[in-house]
Amino acid sequence: MSVRTDLETRLNQWALTRTPAITISWEDFPFDKPSDGSQFIQPIIIPARSRNTAVNGRNYREFGIFQISIWTPEGSGAAAAENLATELINL
């Protein structure tokens, strides 16, 4: 498995176990925002510059950021998003 697959699998498991389950807007998949205004999350990989720290090419590393945007209903305040962020940080 790749790091991305591991992160997305863990995120999906977490989202499905919540009550109510949180919808995930996956990268490169069609998605319509929930019409009822419910919250959802949107994970995205932001690539960074890859590095090869050895002349022989054996130390090649890919770098990036795994960002999770949290969308909550308008007018609900920041607390709902902050609580979700804390849960995600503690996964």
Side-chain angles (χ1 to χ4, degrees):
M1 284 188 152
S2 69
V3 172
R4 179 185 192 138
T5 301
D6 291 343
L7 290 169
E8 289 179 346
T9 298
R10 180 68 184 109
L11 182 63
N12 192 52
Q13 290 170 346
W14 169 82
L16 292 173
T17 60
R18 294 193 88 258
T19 304
I22 294 180
T23 304
I24 301 176
S25 170
W26 296 107
E27 193 171 0
D28 290 329
F29 283 90
F31 181 77
D32 293 319
K33 290 182 181 180
S35 59
D36 62 356
S38 60
Q39 58 194 10
F40 67 95
I41 58 176
Q42 186 176 32
I44 298 172
I45 295 285
I46 303 171
R49 188 176 187 166
S50 299
R51 295 186 189 182
N52 186 2
T53 57
V55 176
N56 63 9
R58 293 186 182 152
N59 292 330
Y60 179 78
R61 299 286 187 263
E62 291 189 18
F63 294 90
I65 297 170
F66 187 73
Q67 175 180 305
I68 303 171
S69 298
I70 300 170
W71 299 84
T72 57
E74 186 175 342
S76 65
E82 289 171 357
N83 290 338
L84 279 178
T86 300
E87 284 186 48
L88 289 166
I89 290 167
N90 293 320
L91 279 180

